Amino acid sequence: MNDAITLTEDDEGKDVVNADGDSIGRVTSVEHGTAHIDPDPSLTDTIRSKLGWGEADENNYQLDSASIASVSDDEIHLDR
């Protein structure tokens, strides 16, 4: 676990990948360092988040930063 990772708006649109390498969703927005994940993004949602137009809603889930193992240019990797 890495508690030092802080997400920013630059992370919006990135895929979230579990420890097995499976994509489990996409970051739709980041507010105050907390990412909001859409577990089943549509093409429209994907484009919106890539453009920074994402917003948190009832279909999104907060990502616990303590679960993040690493962040690359295109993905957020979870440790579990």
Side-chain angles (χ1 to χ4, degrees), residues 11-24:
D11 296 307
E12 292 178 359
K14 291 184 179 181
D15 288 327
V16 179
V17 180
N18 67 15
D20 295 327
D22 299 321
S23 179
I24 61 168

Side-chain angles (χ1 to χ4, degrees), residues 26 28 38 41-51 53-54:
R26 184 175 305 263
T28 57
D38 184 346
S42 68
L43 181 59
T44 301
D45 293 336
T46 299
I47 292 169
R48 287 174 52 96
S49 63
K50 289 275 189 191
L51 294 172
W53 298 347

